[in-house]
């Protein structure tokens, strides 16, 4: 018995297909639907119902994970419109962007030597947050427009956001390490 | 024509039969069983009114194993045969044990499949069997207290337990004859016990320092929904380790020589633990150490000195706390309440440091030794079906990333840590030799890049791939993690639609065959016949299927079923009911499959319909709000 793969995650939560999502509504729909299908509700049910429950609960978790994060949601919207991402070959010829990546990488690498490592790291993290916010604004415009050229821009935008997201993760890891060492 | 069942509006037609269920906290140092009776949840005591059961099993030649206080009493005289803290060995391999063995006085012998066995006077036993003895004792206690057979139990595990550790726990429960309704994470169980979901949206941190393991979980609680945001921990850090630090100090003070006997080591550990516990109430305590062959040593240990000794380990627990906060995407100040779990959280220094870290006074009202069992009992009651109107929902996460070994010994992550479970990921593989019909996948658990730095979970050997030109096969492998946090793998070759057979070879666990053998050996001969057991299993499943179908049809056959479909479902159900009375388990199994096939569309529609009405339910409420 196949799970319903033709349903989009938006349909799954009965939400309009758009980049802007009502976060509170998404949360509510997610919780309500999990209440109906979670395996905990089917512990004594037949094997068939248990399998289906697990499939459905898994799909709900996957849908929620994707829709609640703007980056994943943006990527998903592009995929729904036929755009294929090739993670192995993401390149950008935007030299300004590449320069900034290198600078940020170097800055992260030098944090430990700084007199006030936490303050320096904090500044870097704020900068990355700011970059991500700006790109998020651009992404929103490009996705809302729907024009093909804008979709390509949106894809580029997402690629850049992914780079920043990765840097953000590294910065947070570094912060935790510094806190551990300080203790 | 089917008989009409008249019932009160709003009442289910299914009989409300109270099923006996219990929650079990299988702890490193102590274990407990709890149950909900007449709306009250409490731990169940033994006949001497003791609620805790020391997780100690003593093996003897030619006599049944002894579990609990009596075993504990023998621990100092008979250390090799008295197994304590077996939880530390669950899901661990021979190599791990070598590191742990410095502190453990037992004799290990290698078993099959990388699992170490404990060599005792009662035979060579696996940690799974030792745990089963503890669970058996609790099962008996519960059944005697509650006056009947348990329909099912919820067994708790540290949130940070990996797949092998969880599977070992489930295997132990099966061996003990228990029907495990759910493996529940200990911090989540504690959150359930405190019922913090009642107070509106809030973020809670659960700090669980048990005898052998440390967990910290961050949960968002709101109107019955417990959503775990992140979890972190250390499965080799607990109260036992604090004892060791105190023991080292005593050893030094007492001028005890290295290489002391097992018996003396046990006495030392006991003295250390007693002193540590006393200092939670007093600011100073007298330590008395009895050793073989020398006069007793006495000394004074102050709370200040204790704090100095244990401070580094207490600090160590804050590392996972930071990681959990980071993974949850919040700051310490965002945490509104903190719950303390585990006996070691009685230590004043621990409470201080945790309060300082989260900037809030921790909640300690419920006995930290009992809170996990209580939470498990509450969930068991619901899962057994005793509370059909319960709105409680536990959304837990997988604590460690799962990865597949790829070229060069790298781990390619397929499921991220802190993903809400159940979760799945499908990945496509292909063959590299012409005519290749088999493939092996090595799954590991952990955050590191190299496979060698992660925990090896199992090798999944796919068989029955249709022979093709190299690279032509498209094998879709689905990795599914269930609500217990356990991984299962299925595979299908897409171009020909052929499902692969999969042999699972756990790295640190019992294979299905080994468990089957143990189950068979542990049962008495009357019920031990394999075919008879299979018949019973199929009959139970047949009953479930027919019962579920009956109540489903009663509630929505009119809306969701056309005549043709209804007829074919009825026919299949009748056929099943007929063979169910027979004794051919294969026939029953086939008949069940036929019912599943006939009703698959219907069951799916029902589930989709219940999702839609659950989501719509809210809108109706809002409309009707005063």
């Amino acid at each position: 018995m196949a799970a319903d793969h033709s349903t989009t995650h938006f349909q799954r939560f009965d939400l309009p297909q758009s980049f802007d999502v009502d976060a509170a509504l998404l949360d509510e729909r997610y919780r309500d639907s999990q209440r109906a299908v979670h395996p905990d509700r089917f512990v004594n049910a037949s094997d068939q119902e248990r399998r289906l429950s697990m499939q459905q609960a898994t799909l709900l978790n996957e849908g929620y994970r994707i829709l609640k994060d703007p980056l994943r949601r943006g990527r998903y919207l592009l995929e729904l419109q036929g755009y294929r991402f090739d993670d192995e070959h993401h390149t950008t010829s935007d030299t300004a962007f590449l320069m900034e990546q290198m600078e940020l990488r170097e800055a992260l690498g030098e944090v430990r030597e700084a007199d006030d490592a936490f303050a320096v790291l904090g500044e870097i993290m704020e900068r990355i947050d700011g970059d991500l916010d700006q790109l998020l604004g651009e992404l929103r415009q490009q996705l809302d427009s729907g024009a093909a050229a804008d979709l390509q821009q949106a894809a580029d935008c997402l690629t850049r956001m992914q780079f920043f997201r990765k840097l953000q993760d590294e910065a947070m890891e570094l912060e935790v390490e510094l806190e551990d060492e300080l203790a | 024509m089917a008989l009409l069942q008249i019932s009160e509006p709003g009442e289910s037609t299914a009989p409300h039969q109270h099923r006996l269920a219990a929650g079990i906290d299988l702890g490193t140092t102590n274990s407990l069983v709890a149950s909900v009776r007449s709306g009250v949840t409490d731990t169940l005591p033994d006949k001497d009114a003791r609620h805790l059961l020391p997780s100690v099993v003593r093996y003897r030649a030619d006599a049944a194993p002894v579990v609990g206080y009596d075993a504990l009493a023998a621990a100092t005289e008979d250390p090799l045969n008295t197994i304590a803290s077996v939880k530390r060995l669950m899901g661990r391999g021979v190599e791990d044990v070598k590191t742990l063995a410095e502190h453990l006085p037992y004799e290990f012998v290698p078993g099959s499949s990388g699992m170490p066995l404990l060599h005792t006077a009662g035979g060579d036993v696996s940690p799974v069997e030792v745990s089963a003895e503890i669970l058996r004792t609790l099962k008996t206690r519960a059944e005697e207290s509650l006056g009947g057979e348990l329909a099912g139990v919820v067994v708790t595990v540290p949130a940070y337990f990996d797949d092998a550790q969880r599977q070992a726990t489930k295997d132990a429960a099966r061996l003990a004859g228990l029907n495990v309704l759910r493996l529940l994470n200990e911090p989540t169980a504690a959150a359930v016990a405190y019922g913090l979901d009642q107070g509106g949206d809030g973020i809670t941190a659960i700090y669980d320092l048990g005898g052998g393991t440390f967990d910290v979980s961050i949960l968002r609680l709101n109107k019955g929904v417990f959503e775990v945001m992140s979890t972190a921990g250390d499965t080799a850090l607990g109260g036992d380790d604090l004892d060791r630090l105190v023991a080292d100090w005593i050893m030094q003070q007492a001028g005890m020589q290295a290489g002391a006997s097992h018996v003396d080591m046990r006495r030392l550990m006991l003295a250390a633990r007693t002193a540590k516990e006393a200092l939670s109430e007093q600011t100073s305590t007298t330590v008395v150490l009895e050793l073989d062959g020398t006069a007793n040593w006495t000394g004074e240990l102050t709370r200040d000195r204790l704090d100095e000794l244990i401070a580094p380990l207490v600090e160590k627990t804050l590392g996972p706390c930071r990681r959990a906060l980071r993974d949850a995407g919040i700051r310490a100040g965002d945490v509104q309440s903190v719950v303390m779990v585990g006996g070691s959280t009685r230590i004043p220094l621990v409470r201080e440091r945790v309060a300082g870290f989260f900037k809030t006074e921790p909640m300690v009202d419920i006995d930290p030794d009992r809170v996990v069992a209580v939470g498990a009992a509450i969930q068991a009651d619901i899962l057994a079906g005793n509370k059909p109107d319960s709105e409680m929902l536990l959304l837990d996460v997988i604590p460690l990333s799962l990865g597949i070994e790829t070229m060069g010994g790298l781990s390619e992550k397929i499921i991220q840590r802190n993903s809400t479970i159940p979760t799945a990921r499908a990945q496509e593989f292909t063959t590299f030799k012409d005519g290749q019909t088999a493939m092996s996948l090595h799954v590991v658990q952990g955050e590191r890049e190299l496979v060698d730095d992660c925990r090896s979970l199992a090798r999944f050997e796919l068989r029955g791939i249709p022979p093709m030109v190299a690279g032509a096969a498209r094998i879709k492998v689905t990795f599914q993690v269930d609500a217990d946090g356990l991984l299962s793998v299925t595979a299908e070759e897409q171009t020909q639609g052929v499902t692969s057979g999969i042999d699972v070879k756990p790295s640190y666990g019992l294979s299905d065959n080994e468990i089957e053998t143990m189950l068979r050996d542990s049962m008495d001969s009357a019920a031990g016949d394999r075919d008879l057991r299979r018949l019973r299993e199929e009959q139970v499943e047949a009953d479930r299927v027919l019962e579920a179908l009956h109540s489903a049809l009663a509630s929505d056959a009119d809306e969701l079923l056309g005549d043709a479909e209804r007829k074919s479902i009825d026919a299949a159900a009748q056929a099943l009911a007929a063979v169910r009375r027979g004794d051919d388990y294969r026939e029953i199994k086939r008949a069940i499959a036929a019912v599943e096939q006939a009703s698959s569309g219907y069951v799916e529609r029902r589930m989709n319909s219940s999702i839609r009405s659950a989501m719509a339910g809210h809108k109706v409420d809002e409309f009707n709000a005063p």
Side-chain angles (χ1 to χ4, degrees):
Chain A
M1 170 192 359
D4 189 357
H5 289 296
S6 57
T7 315
T8 67
H9 293 312
F10 291 98
Q11 287 165 334
R12 206 178 303 286
F13 294 109
D14 197 17
L15 292 169
Q17 180 168 322
S18 92
F19 185 64
D20 276 319
V21 159
D22 181 341
L25 192 55
L26 172 64
D27 281 353
E28 197 179 275
R29 296 268 162 91
Y30 169 65
R31 286 197 292 263
D32 287 342
S33 44
Q34 275 291 20
R35 272 206 184 89
V37 300
H38 193 271
D40 281 357
R41 294 271 174 278
F42 293 89
V43 162
N44 297 309
S46 65
D47 282 349
Q48 185 186 33
E49 283 174 301
R50 283 209 300 261
R51 279 197 304 269
L52 189 55
S53 147
M54 183 139 85
Q55 271 175 5
Q56 291 292 336
T58 297
L59 282 169
L60 287 170
N61 282 333
E62 182 64 8
Y64 184 60
R65 194 182 72 95
I66 289 175
L67 293 186
K68 77 175 172 184
D69 173 44
L71 197 50
R72 290 192 201 111
R73 192 191 320 140
R75 185 172 160 141
Y76 182 63
L77 273 167
L78 281 176
E79 283 169 1
L80 284 178
Q81 288 170 79
Y83 200 88
R84 287 283 157 266
F85 278 89
D86 185 359
D87 285 331
E88 308 246 311
H89 299 108
H90 53 225
T91 50
T92 175
S93 49
D94 183 339
T95 41
F97 171 73
L98 288 172
M99 285 296 294
E100 196 190 352
Q101 289 301 298
M102 271 176 56
E103 275 173 43
L104 283 169
R105 269 257 142 66
E106 270 178 41
L108 272 181
E110 286 162 8
V111 162
R112 280 177 190 282
E113 285 134 48
D115 285 332
D116 192 348
F118 281 107
V120 171
L121 182 56
E123 275 170 32
I124 296 175
M125 283 169 82
E126 265 181 48
R127 188 172 153 193
I128 298 175
D129 282 348
D131 286 330
L132 273 169
D133 275 343
Q134 190 188 346
L135 284 172
L136 193 61
E138 285 174 30
L139 181 65
R140 180 174 283 115
Q141 279 179 349
Q142 287 149 1
L143 284 173
D144 281 346
S145 112
D150 284 333
L151 287 187
Q152 181 58 53
Q153 297 269 41
D156 280 344
C157 191
L158 274 166
T159 304
R160 280 180 282 159
M161 285 177 84
Q162 251 142 216
F163 274 122
F164 281 116
R165 173 67 70 82
K166 192 154 188 293
L167 273 177
Q168 202 178 42
D169 287 344
E170 284 172 29
M172 288 199 287
E173 177 61 41
L174 180 56
E175 187 180 52
V176 168
E177 279 172 23
L178 287 178
E179 283 167 347
D180 279 350
E181 284 160 26
L182 200 67
Chain B
M1 191 176 92
L3 286 173
L4 289 174
Q5 283 186 290
I6 312 289
S7 55
E8 295 284 342
E11 247 185 19
S12 150
T13 51
H16 278 294
Q17 191 193 357
H18 182 92
R19 292 201 184 98
L20 294 177
I24 293 181
D25 175 2
L26 185 61
T28 309
T29 315
N30 292 302
S31 296
L32 299 96
V33 59
S35 189
V36 178
R37 279 187 291 192
S38 313
V40 177
T41 315
D42 204 0
T43 49
L44 305 172
D46 64 12
K47 52 178 169 41
D48 296 316
R50 298 174 297 196
H51 291 251
L52 300 178
L53 175 74
S55 304
V56 184
V57 182
R58 184 183 178 202
Y59 287 91
R60 305 172 292 177
D62 309 321
V66 177
V67 180
Y69 284 100
D70 293 340
L72 187 60
T76 36
E77 299 127 45
D78 191 10
L80 280 174
N81 297 311
T82 313
I83 317 296
S85 299
V86 70
K87 190 166 173 175
R88 289 197 171 223
L89 301 172
M90 294 286 270
R92 306 279 89 165
V94 172
E95 287 306 313
D96 303 305
V97 156
K98 285 193 187 134
T99 331
L100 294 166
E102 290 163 30
H103 308 293
L104 300 168
Y106 317 123
E107 256 184 69
F108 291 96
V109 297
S112 60
S113 64
M115 239 183 39
L117 298 178
L118 294 142
H119 183 67
T120 75
D124 291 343
V125 291
S126 64
V128 167
E129 285 165 281
V130 179
S131 298
E133 288 298 337
I134 299 169
L135 290 168
R136 249 179 227 124
T137 303
L138 291 173
K139 176 179 195 267
T140 307
R141 183 188 292 190
E143 290 179 341
E144 278 170 10
S145 287
L146 300 171
E149 204 185 316
L150 284 172
V153 293
V154 167
V155 180
T156 61
V157 288
Y160 218 53
F161 252 18
D162 65 29
D163 195 283
Q165 293 165 307
R166 281 164 200 270
Q167 190 61 60
T169 306
K170 211 165 179 190
D171 291 343
R174 273 182 75 193
L175 267 184
L178 290 164
N179 173 31
V180 177
L181 299 169
R182 175 71 64 239
L183 283 183
L184 177 61
N185 288 339
E186 285 153 19
T188 312
V192 169
Y194 270 92
L196 294 163
D197 57 307
Q198 304 307 316
D201 212 348
I203 296 183
T204 298
I206 314 284
Y207 179 98
D208 180 352
L209 186 56
T213 60
F214 172 63
D215 277 334
V216 53
S217 286
I218 312 281
L219 284 85
R220 177 180 283 126
L221 284 62
N222 183 23
K223 296 193 217 74
V225 180
F226 295 74
E227 193 181 336
V228 177
M229 297 168 75
S230 66
T231 196
D234 190 334
T235 57
L237 173 59
D240 287 359
D241 301 293
L242 300 179
D243 292 346
R244 202 160 303 120
L245 290 172
V246 176
D248 286 346
W249 178 84
I250 296 175
M251 250 181 113
Q252 207 190 51
Q253 298 292 306
M256 211 171 134
Q257 299 306 318
S261 70
H262 287 315
V263 175
D264 279 349
M265 285 306 291
R266 266 286 166 79
R267 288 193 181 121
L268 173 64
M269 293 302 292
L270 196 56
R273 173 171 300 169
T274 311
K276 176 193 80 173
E277 287 172 3
L279 288 171
S280 290
E281 304 295 315
Q282 303 145 220
T283 50
S284 129
T285 187
T286 310
V287 181
V288 180
L289 184 61
E290 294 174 20
L291 296 172
D292 278 339
T294 60
N296 290 357
W297 176 85
T298 60
E300 202 62 24
L301 179 59
T302 62
R303 187 184 286 172
D304 283 348
R305 170 67 66 176
L306 175 70
D307 287 354
E308 264 176 45
L309 293 171
I310 66 176
L313 272 190
V314 177
E315 280 313 302
K316 204 173 166 190
T317 66
L318 299 182
C321 292
R322 287 184 203 106
R323 288 186 159 67
L325 287 173
R326 179 208 44 197
D327 285 351
I330 61 171
R331 298 262 167 218
D334 297 324
V335 172
Q336 282 141 322
S337 56
V338 178
V339 167
M340 302 291 264
V341 182
S344 297
T345 59
R346 289 192 176 93
I347 300 174
L349 179 67
V350 173
R351 287 194 182 170
E352 250 176 65
R353 290 302 289 120
V354 172
F357 182 87
F358 289 107
K359 308 189 198 352
T360 180
E361 276 308 306
M363 296 170 81
V364 298
D365 320 330
I366 305 184
D367 186 335
D369 283 324
R370 301 199 202 177
V371 63
V372 166
V374 165
I378 293 171
Q379 203 206 15
D381 194 43
I382 294 172
L383 296 184
N386 295 331
K387 294 225 156 43
D389 298 325
S390 169
E391 292 273 286
M392 186 173 93
L393 182 61
L394 303 184
L395 298 171
D396 225 312
V397 300
I398 184 173
L400 298 157
S401 299
L402 287 174
I404 316 177
E405 177 168 0
T406 57
M407 288 299 181
L410 296 173
S411 164
E412 182 187 318
K413 304 229 177 339
I414 45 167
I415 293 179
Q416 293 297 328
R417 71 173 182 274
N418 292 315
S419 299
T420 305
I421 52 181
T423 187
R425 168 65 54 87
Q427 199 110 333
E428 218 173 67
F429 296 87
T430 190
T431 48
F432 67 92
K433 271 203 313 224
D434 288 342
Q436 184 179 341
T437 59
M439 177 178 285
S440 179
L441 293 173
H442 181 207
V443 178
V444 299
Q445 204 161 13
E447 312 311 318
R448 309 286 294 276
E449 304 267 309
L450 296 177
V451 154
D452 286 346
D453 293 332
C454 297
R455 293 278 316 162
S456 171
L457 207 158
R459 276 173 172 73
F460 294 88
E461 295 179 1
L462 282 58
R463 296 174 275 101
I465 301 171
M468 290 182 215
V469 169
R474 296 161 65 77
I475 304 148
K476 179 175 161 194
V477 180
T478 304
F479 300 87
Q480 173 84 57
V481 179
D482 64 19
D484 289 335
L486 293 169
L487 173 70
S488 60
V489 175
T490 51
E492 191 186 71
E493 202 292 310
Q494 304 277 280
T495 65
Q496 298 191 19
V498 173
T499 306
S500 303
I502 306 204
D503 286 329
V504 182
K505 292 183 161 44
S507 305
Y508 306 112
L510 301 165
S511 68
D512 280 343
N513 280 340
E514 285 165 307
I515 282 279
E516 279 303 312
T517 311
M518 283 170 137
L519 278 169
R520 225 180 316 136
D521 290 347
S522 75
M523 285 181 195
D524 54 53
S525 49
D529 182 53
R530 195 194 235 170
D531 277 358
L532 193 64
R533 195 153 46 82
R534 282 209 179 126
L535 177 63
R536 283 299 300 141
E537 279 169 12
E538 295 302 333
Q539 283 172 333
V540 165
E541 178 60 17
D543 290 341
R544 272 202 191 129
V545 169
L546 289 170
E547 155 83 35
L549 198 53
H550 175 85
S551 75
L553 290 170
S555 77
D556 56 38
D558 295 333
E559 294 128 51
L560 297 178
L561 270 184
D563 283 340
E565 215 178 348
R566 174 69 194 259
K567 282 204 177 73
S568 87
I569 290 177
D570 281 341
Q574 267 165 33
L576 174 57
V579 298
R580 186 246 177 273
R581 282 174 242 130
D583 54 13
D584 185 345
Y585 80 85
R586 286 187 193 84
E587 261 198 341
I588 301 181
K589 203 168 166 157
R590 275 196 292 269
I592 290 175
V595 171
E596 283 187 3
Q597 182 151 46
S599 59
S600 80
Y602 174 49
V603 175
E604 214 174 306
R605 258 173 274 141
R606 294 198 79 233
M607 204 164 276
N608 286 333
S609 157
S610 77
I611 296 176
R612 275 197 302 276
S613 58
M615 288 200 292
H618 245 96
K619 284 205 213 111
V620 176
D621 283 357
E622 277 146 36
F623 187 73
N624 286 334

